[in-house]
Amino acid sequence: MDAPACFDVPSEARNIDLDLYSRQYYVYGGKAMSRLAEANVFLSGLSGVGIEIAKNIALAGVNSLTLHDPQPASYLDLSTQFFLSEADIGKSRADVVAAKIRELNAYVKIDVFSGDINTHPVEYFKQYKCVVLTEVPLETQVRINDYCHKEGIAFASAEVRGLFTWAFCDFGDKFEIHDKNGEEPVEVMIEGVTSENPGVVTTLDKAPHGLEDGTLLSFREVKGMTQLNESGRVFEVKVVNSSTFTIGDTSGFSPYQSGGIATEVKKTFHMNFLPLRDALEHGEFSIADWAKMDSSPNLHIGMQALHLFQKANNGQLPRPWNKDDADAFIKLCTEVNSKTKLKVDNLDESLLRKLAHTSRGSIVGLTAFMGGLVAQEAVKACTGKFSPLHQWLYFDAIEVLPRLEEGQEHDPENFQPAGNSRYDAQVICLGKKLVETIKGLKLFMVGSGAIGCEMLKNFAMLGVSAGSEGQIIVTDNDVIEKSNLNRQFLFRNHDIQKPKSTTAANAALAMNNELHIESHLKKVGTESEDIYTDHFFRSLDLVVNALDNINARLYVDQRCVTNQRALLESGTLGTKGHVQVIVPFLTESYGSRRDPPEKDVPFCTLKSFPNQIEHCIQWARDKFETNYNLQPTEHNKIVDDVKDFIQKLRETGGGDRLVRATKAVKYIENRPQNFDDCISWARITFEKNYPNKIKQLLHSFPLDQVTPEGGLFWSGAKRPPVVFEFDPTNSLHIDYVRYAAALRAKVWGITPEHVNPRKDEDNAYLVKICLGTTVPPFKPRDNKVIETDTNKKKEQVEAAKEEAIVEEFDEAKFTETLDKLASLVAASGGKLVTHPEEFEKDVDANFHIDFITATSNLRAASYAIAQADRLKTKRIAGRIMPAIATTTAAVSGLVSLELIKLADKRTIMADYKNAFLNLGLPVVNMAEPSAAEKTVITPSVSITLWDSWEIKLGDITLQQFVDHFHTKYNLSVTGVFLGVQMVYVTMMPGHSKRLPQKLRRVLTSLSPQDVKGQKYVDLIVTFEDEGGAEVNGPAVRFWLVGKRRKAATASSSAKTTTPSSSAGQ
């Protein structure tokens, strides 16, 4: 027998701990991971940015990481260096943190180098694949880089100085890039290739190909022009339009007939870099914020001047907000600018003074951002995966400085460090007042996974909630798995299976014991609205999303809009990330813009006509859900109260009554008594799912079938299937039986046996039972309906089947079947309970991914589709989001910068920055958020999504409620709705009779569950203006009044409160 198919993984992945690295594996792939595991990296400097780089490189899984930093820890470190505490003041930073870095990844060897890199022989660095220097004198950087460049050792340097940060990369004269973007290879189906020079390729159904000029393609399954299919042959693309491209001279090829798939072939690139000494004069700048295009050249001058200042002042940076030091620094900037070839015509003195004023300080937003970015560059250096930074990146966060009124200047005293405070470096950048404001924040964070861990670390460094009035509330209903440890760095091995939120909260407290943090285990959604009420949301200063799915994000976003609370939204996908700041009455919300929904795969494609492995995996996933979850769950409901099931089935008029009753009986009759029965069942389902299904399909649609238009039915996206019979020597066939039987056994409470594919005796036993199983003969049905309409949804197809069943309904048979069902349940003595399987992708011992891998690959074999290994199947079936620590760190840093602005209650759009980044390219794009869209209701009233009208008019009638809007806004109410309930619609007969009634009573009678015990209800009200045009108003919150308060409110004046002056106040 062949090697076990379901345990097959790419050879380069076999030495990788996939339980730990699975999410990272989906970003880098096995070859890059293997290169990473062999790489040795040197890192000097362990202040805030250095410790971020060290953390991220260790989590990535290099072979060894050597740390260097003889500097003693100081209070200035504690604002950003999360592995230091006050107890470490005066100790060597490298010696203190080395043990803590070791805890992050047992596979990485952590060494400490204690020599002086300013004088140490540069030959020492020959042992490293990559050298990273942070906050090292520029002269030393040049000296070490000269050697690294000559020896082909990748070099990177970075600094964070106050509100400014920069990075530099030099990967040598000819750095080899194996995959410039890390995207999955593009694959397109084709329907035509011309025989000419150049040959033009047309995609099937004019589908967009997504290719670029210069892309290399290989072809397979092309009929006629078979030269395209030749192994090893690739063709270079030149794009014509979105659905056609040329591939060079095809005039000598055989004529194209039909079919074909074109697949992108990743090609190797080379990138050349200047050494640092040359790049200082000729370097290229990557622009992160196009609104600050002039900042990079100015900061390039400032960086060099800052090193000159340190050299002239015994290594000291300019004193915080000291005019004399700033003046001396500006003079040095002028001197550097006069000598450089990258001269700036007009130096931005204001920007450069801010660099001087804040250079001794630092904030965690910048250290986290740059630490993520530079660590990713180190990974690129070790793997050749993705495109390196070429060559300089400058970035600033000057918007976090407290905003001044025109003509005002910052008070230097506000920015002076105390000298013995963990917030000293932060005070230099933000000022004492803003730091105290941050301490007093009341913040709610939803989620404590990868982004959540990074955010809690950042909160600890910032001191969020450290004041007497401050509080962090974090909730997450998930527990820690081993796969989390690769990027959720607050967790350790001993934390596995502990709650994420409480573990992360405790880790944050260990970093800063001044925090006031409360952890919950609740999922935020409709089911927890009794806990996370509107009052709860309105008690907050802001909300932070650390979520990994769109529906949850939209829910939290809507709650923030309803309660007019700021929201920080972010997310990552591999090397990509985004940050969105959502400010009440200023910006749009997360839900204001939605990516177009992914196009659903047609039901008939999944059911009968797959053409991609994804279709096969989804089909297999559906088989798992049906056989091992839905059917046993439905069965348990039946046997739990069979009388109720029978009664309801008798009362329903559905045409599938007999079918449902028959299935219930067969499910019980066919229950296994032992594992051998499970094996036999699996063998029979193999026959049904593969040979029989394909035989029926080809019976209904023979290979020579033609369409009404005269074309071949089996063409284009419809791949002709082939029939294969059960082969006991084929490991994939036996794998299917193995895992299908094991799961059926688990459902029925039977211990799975003979399930080890590595044991010959287990395989032999499975074969023996399979060969002894009587498989019912197959007879094709002439009247079998197989849906071919790609526009038909699953629900429509199943409804059509039900209608067909109605005509065949047999009442006597139905009664007989129900009686038999009742008899079977009664005779069982309560021993019919099953154990449904909830799909779980990360537990290998549960057979879930094994079953789906075998099932989908057999399906793929039927249609000549390339099969998927277990890892790829797991990613697709489990909908796993590729994730790495570097992107998470960078994104969390940018979120933290926006948090500071929200704490300062900024009301000017230009102060805020949304971000999109792709560290793989690398690209960072910062931009102002989009403004909340205004809707004009009347010439004097306009609203945004943030507005709501609150009606506090006492115990009024429905008529008074309607009249209020006409009086206040000259709007005529056309409808009032409470959820889906119509409270009042002008066009509905009889609704006018409700007008004299108390509105509270009308609402209670229609939907008591939404009214009783509530202080208010949110209503949807539709209007017409005086011209008869339909008008959409804001949400309307009607405050209810209890009976005891009726008298008190009768004499109160009617008024409408609006949160926004734009809403007509």
Side-chain angles (χ1 to χ4, degrees):
M1 184 179 292
D2 300 332
C6 285
F7 280 87
D8 183 37
V9 295
S11 58
E12 66 267 14
R14 289 174 186 164
N15 295 321
I16 297 171
D17 184 348
L18 293 170
D19 289 337
L20 176 66
Y21 289 118
S22 62
R23 284 13 176 212
Q24 179 174 297
Y25 177 89
Y26 294 129
V27 179
Y28 296 144
K31 291 180 180 178
M33 289 281 292
S34 297
R35 295 187 196 108
L36 195 60
E38 296 172 353
N40 302 315
V41 178
F42 178 89
L43 170 65
S44 178
L46 292 167
S47 61
V49 68
I51 197 64
E52 291 279 359
I53 296 169
K55 177 225 346 159
N56 296 328
I57 291 177
L59 290 172
V62 294
N63 178 56
S64 74
L65 174 62
T66 300
L67 305 176
H68 168 261
D69 191 340
Q71 291 297 320
S74 72
Y75 278 101
L76 286 174
D77 291 320
L78 301 187
S79 287
T80 55
Q81 225 287 16
F82 46 84
F83 279 158
L84 293 176
S85 67
E86 290 191 34
D88 300 317
I89 301 299
K91 299 177 183 177
S92 161
R93 294 192 293 203
D95 291 340
V96 171
V97 305
K100 296 180 180 179
I101 295 295
R102 286 189 188 101
E103 291 179 0
L104 295 176
N105 194 337
Y107 291 107
V108 179
K109 181 183 178 184
I110 304 297
D111 295 317
V112 175
F113 174 70
S114 56
D116 183 356
I117 63 169
N118 295 304
T119 58
H120 199 79
V122 291
E123 290 76 16
Y124 165 80
F125 297 103
K126 189 171 181 63
Q127 61 188 296
Y128 298 106
K129 181 74 172 177
C130 178
V131 172
V132 183
L133 306 181
T134 71
E135 301 176 1
V136 169
L138 187 58
E139 287 182 349
T140 300
Q141 292 182 43
V142 170
R143 186 177 77 92
I144 294 174
N145 172 255
D146 282 345
Y147 176 78
C148 289
H149 187 88
K150 182 182 71 172
E151 295 295 329
I153 300 165
F155 175 93
S157 63
E159 295 183 68
V160 173
R161 299 299 187 189
L163 299 177
F164 304 83
T165 183
W166 48 84
F168 168 79
C169 285
D170 167 20
F171 288 3
D173 286 329
K174 196 174 183 182
F175 181 72
E176 190 171 78
I177 302 167
H178 303 287
D179 184 348
K180 68 177 182 179
N181 59 19
E183 301 291 344
E184 285 287 318
V186 176
E187 190 167 276
V188 293
M189 301 182 75
I190 65 173
E191 67 177 13
V193 185
T194 62
S195 296
E196 58 183 319
N197 187 12
V200 179
V201 181
T202 304
T203 61
L204 180 66
D205 297 331
K206 302 288 190 295
H209 51 65
L211 301 171
E212 299 175 352
D213 285 349
T215 301
L216 299 181
L217 293 179
S218 65
F219 289 82
R220 68 180 191 273
E221 301 181 22
V222 176
K223 294 178 182 177
M225 195 178 285
T226 55
Q227 293 89 341
L228 295 179
N229 300 329
E230 292 175 5
S231 176
R233 192 164 192 173
V234 294
F235 299 85
E236 186 168 335
V237 165
K238 185 170 180 59
V239 173
V240 177
N241 56 41
S242 64
S243 61
T244 60
F245 54 89
T246 64
I247 55 170
D249 189 359
T250 60
S251 59
F253 292 176
S254 307
Y256 174 85
Q257 293 177 3
S258 65
I261 298 172
T263 303
E264 179 186 8
V265 177
K266 295 280 187 174
K267 61 181 179 180
T268 298
F269 291 82
H270 290 92
M271 186 177 284
N272 301 321
F273 292 80
L274 293 174
L276 177 57
R277 66 170 63 251
D278 294 337
L280 287 169
E281 295 292 316
H282 305 285
E284 296 180 24
F285 302 128
S286 292
I287 305 298
D289 188 341
W290 290 96
K292 300 179 178 181
M293 282 187 61
D294 296 333
S295 294
S296 293
N298 276 277
L299 292 176
H300 190 63
I301 299 297
M303 176 273 293
Q304 296 172 76
L306 205 59
H307 281 279
L308 289 175
F309 186 97
Q310 285 184 280
K311 185 177 180 180
N313 290 275
N314 197 28
Q316 296 298 307
L317 291 160
R319 288 168 290 178
W321 297 81
N322 181 280
K323 184 178 183 303
D324 292 340
D325 283 4
D327 287 343
F329 172 71
I330 294 298
K331 184 177 179 182
L332 288 171
C333 289
T334 303
E335 291 176 7
V336 171
N337 193 45
S338 67
K339 298 175 182 178
T340 184
K341 294 178 181 178
L342 292 175
K343 184 175 182 179
V344 177
D345 291 337
N346 294 294
L347 284 175
D348 187 340
E349 186 174 320
S350 174
L351 181 74
L352 293 170
R353 282 189 179 276
K354 290 182 177 71
L355 173 57
H357 289 327
T358 65
S359 61
R360 288 196 185 185
S362 62
I363 52 175
V364 72
L366 287 182
T367 57
F369 165 71
M370 189 55 78
L373 187 145
V374 174
Q376 188 64 54
E377 295 306 305
V379 170
K380 295 173 189 177
C382 297
T383 63
K385 181 90 172 187
F386 302 112
S387 301
L389 171 67
H390 199 268
Q391 289 190 256
W392 293 97
L393 175 69
Y394 288 90
F395 189 87
D396 71 75
I398 58 174
E399 296 85 4
V400 302
L401 277 171
R403 180 168 280 280
L404 299 172
E405 298 294 331
E406 190 173 345
Q408 280 188 322
E409 291 186 0
H410 288 294
D411 178 8
E413 182 58 32
N414 183 39
F415 296 88
Q416 297 307 308
N420 61 353
S421 167
R422 66 171 299 120
Y423 306 108
D424 276 351
Q426 191 167 291
V427 165
I428 293 171
C429 296
L430 306 179
K432 299 171 186 175
K433 295 177 183 177
L434 183 49
V435 169
E436 289 303 312
T437 299
I438 292 169
K439 289 183 182 180
L441 288 176
K442 187 170 184 180
L443 178 152
F444 181 41
M445 185 167 75
V446 188
S448 55
I451 289 179
C453 282
E454 292 286 342
M455 289 308 309
L456 283 169
K457 172 258 295 179
N458 295 350
F459 296 160
M461 297 298 96
L462 286 166
V464 174
S465 83
S468 59
E469 301 298 317
Q471 186 179 29
I472 297 171
I473 301 162
V474 57
T475 188
D476 195 315
N477 66 332
D478 202 2
V479 296
I480 299 163
E481 305 286 352
K482 185 176 180 180
S483 63
N484 301 147
L485 305 184
N486 173 237
R487 63 202 182 283
Q488 300 175 19
F489 87 105
L490 297 184
F491 307 143
R492 303 290 182 268
N493 270 304
H494 57 77
D495 296 321
I496 290 173
Q497 290 306 303
K498 292 180 182 177
K500 285 186 176 181
S501 59
T502 54
T503 307
N506 290 334
L509 278 168
M511 292 177 176
N512 184 348
N513 61 12
E514 297 177 8
L515 302 185
H516 298 94
I517 185 166
E518 180 180 316
S519 59
H520 295 179
L521 306 179
K522 299 291 184 183
K523 182 179 181 180
V524 177
T526 54
E527 63 270 36
S528 59
E529 287 183 357
D530 59 328
I531 299 169
Y532 306 119
T533 62
D534 286 343
H535 175 76
F536 168 81
F537 272 88
R538 293 195 174 197
S539 71
L540 304 168
D541 291 305
L542 71 151
V543 178
V544 177
N545 265 353
L547 293 162
D548 61 0
N549 74 86
I550 291 175
N551 288 336
R553 286 171 168 153
L554 287 169
Y555 175 82
V556 175
D557 175 68
Q558 186 54 51
R559 293 298 302 279
C560 289
V561 170
T562 300
N563 293 286
Q564 299 154 350
R565 286 297 174 265
L567 172 65
L568 289 169
E569 162 58 37
S570 61
T572 70
L573 180 66
T575 59
K576 300 171 187 174
H578 78 272
V579 176
Q580 182 180 5
V581 56
I582 297 159
V583 188
F585 305 106
L586 190 64
T587 72
E588 64 183 13
S589 73
Y590 175 74
S592 296
R593 295 184 191 220
R594 300 278 299 277
D595 290 335
E598 291 186 17
K599 190 175 181 181
D600 289 336
V601 179
F603 177 67
C604 68
T605 299
L606 291 177
K607 188 79 173 173
S608 305
F609 308 110
N611 55 64
Q612 298 174 19
I613 190 61
E614 288 81 0
H615 302 159
C616 301
I617 292 172
Q618 182 58 54
W619 181 82
R621 179 78 169 78
D622 291 344
K623 291 293 181 188
F624 172 91
E625 202 66 26
T626 299
N627 290 333
Y628 308 116
N629 183 277
L630 297 179
Q631 284 184 352
T633 298
E634 178 65 19
H635 166 79
N636 284 346
K637 291 178 182 177
I638 293 170
V639 299
D640 183 57
D641 192 345
V642 70
K643 291 182 179 179
D644 180 66
F645 173 77
I646 290 173
Q647 180 64 28
K648 288 180 178 176
L649 210 55
R650 289 187 188 278
E651 293 173 355
T652 185
D656 65 343
R657 288 177 295 163
L658 178 56
V659 172
R660 289 182 62 192
T662 303
K663 283 183 178 179
V665 168
K666 285 185 176 180
Y667 197 78
I668 295 172
E669 290 181 330
N670 294 335
R671 68 190 184 278
Q673 302 301 318
N674 49 49
F675 192 66
D676 286 5
D677 289 348
C678 297
I679 297 172
S680 293
W681 174 87
R683 170 64 186 91
I684 292 169
T685 61
F686 177 98
E687 202 73 12
K688 290 178 180 178
N689 286 334
Y690 301 106
N692 293 358
K693 190 176 286 290
I694 301 305
K695 289 173 183 176
Q696 179 64 61
L697 190 60
L698 292 176
H699 177 78
S700 300
F701 302 106
L703 291 175
D704 57 359
Q705 175 99 5
V706 294
T707 65
E709 293 78 20
L712 280 173
F713 178 85
W714 294 106
S715 62
K718 288 187 174 68
R719 302 173 66 84
V722 294
V723 176
F724 56 76
E725 301 296 341
F726 179 77
D727 180 359
T729 67
N730 187 310
S731 63
L732 186 56
H733 294 200
I734 294 300
D735 276 342
Y736 173 85
V737 171
R738 184 192 329 275
Y739 299 121
L743 288 170
R744 183 165 174 83
K746 289 176 69 180
V747 164
W748 283 101
I750 298 169
T751 301
E753 302 172 33
H754 313 291
V755 293
N756 188 344
R758 308 289 185 191
K759 285 188 175 181
D760 290 340
E761 57 267 34
D762 280 7
N763 294 326
Y765 191 88
L766 292 172
V767 170
K768 182 183 77 170
I769 301 300
C770 286
L771 294 178
T773 299
T774 301
V775 179
F778 172 71
K779 184 178 180 181
R781 289 168 50 191
D782 293 330
N783 61 347
K784 175 75 172 177
V785 177
I786 298 176
E787 187 58 61
T788 61
D789 187 346
T790 57
N791 295 316
K792 288 280 185 70
K793 302 292 185 183
K794 180 179 180 181
E795 297 76 14
Q796 294 173 294
V797 175
E798 291 177 347
K801 283 185 179 179
E802 186 176 330
E803 289 177 9
I805 292 170
V806 174
E807 300 173 5
E808 304 170 4
F809 187 72
D810 185 331
E811 187 69 44
K813 182 68 173 175
F814 177 58
T815 301
E816 178 187 339
T817 305
L818 291 182
D819 291 343
K820 188 173 185 179
L821 175 62
S823 176
L824 285 168
V825 174
S828 70
K831 296 181 180 179
L832 292 177
V833 176
T834 58
H835 310 277
E837 290 282 303
E838 291 286 342
F839 177 70
E840 173 49 61
K841 60 187 178 294
D842 286 321
V843 180
D844 287 345
N846 65 15
F847 309 119
H848 295 185
I849 295 299
D850 300 310
F851 170 80
I852 292 171
T853 303
T855 305
S856 59
N857 280 337
L858 284 169
R859 177 80 160 172
S862 297
Y863 289 87
I865 295 170
Q867 298 178 25
D869 61 53
R870 191 178 189 279
L871 289 176
K872 183 173 181 178
T873 302
K874 179 178 178 178
R875 175 177 63 81
I876 296 170
R879 298 178 181 177
I880 293 174
M881 295 292 103
I884 48 177
T886 50
T887 313
T888 306
V891 164
S892 78
L894 297 177
V895 173
S896 299
L897 296 177
E898 300 311 303
L899 181 148
I900 294 169
K901 303 168 192 177
L902 288 172
D904 202 30
K905 294 182 168 56
R906 303 295 177 82
T907 57
I908 297 175
M909 186 77 78
D911 286 346
Y912 294 102
K913 296 289 183 181
N914 284 350
F916 168 78
L917 57 85
N918 186 339
L919 296 185
L921 298 179
V923 169
V924 181
N925 286 326
M926 310 294 292
E928 285 184 21
S930 297
E933 185 178 348
K934 283 192 174 183
T935 300
V936 176
I937 294 182
T938 71
S940 60
V941 179
S942 63
I943 62 167
T944 70
L945 79 160
W946 294 99
D947 291 303
S948 66
W949 287 342
E950 297 197 9
I951 310 299
K952 296 182 177 179
L953 296 171
D955 196 19
I956 59 173
T957 65
L958 177 56
Q959 182 68 63
Q960 290 173 307
F961 179 83
V962 170
D963 290 345
H964 166 76
F965 295 100
H966 192 272
T967 303
K968 184 80 176 178
Y969 304 112
N970 202 26
L971 294 172
S972 298
V973 173
T974 58
V976 180
F977 304 88
L978 175 59
V980 297
Q981 294 285 346
M982 291 188 293
V983 178
Y984 170 68
V985 178
T986 55
M987 302 297 293
M988 291 296 292
H991 276 205
S992 60
K993 294 178 181 178
R994 297 176 179 175
L995 290 169
Q997 299 178 37
K998 296 291 187 180
L999 178 54
R1000 185 178 188 276
R1001 181 171 296 176
V1002 175
L1003 295 172
T1004 303
S1005 66
L1006 291 171
S1007 188
Q1009 71 275 12
D1010 291 325
V1011 178
K1012 288 183 178 179
Q1014 302 299 316
K1015 293 181 180 179
Y1016 56 79
V1017 292
D1018 290 325
L1019 302 174
I1020 299 170
V1021 184
T1022 58
F1023 305 98
E1024 271 186 3
D1025 62 19
E1026 57 187 350
E1030 183 179 342
V1031 174
N1032 293 317
V1036 175
R1037 176 161 290 179
F1038 176 67
W1039 286 79
L1040 303 165
V1041 180
K1043 292 181 179 179
R1044 295 179 181 177
R1045 297 175 57 196
K1046 279 186 180 180
T1049 59
S1051 59
S1052 65
S1053 59
K1055 65 178 182 178
T1056 301
T1057 60
T1058 58
S1060 168
S1061 59
S1062 68
Q1065 185 68 314

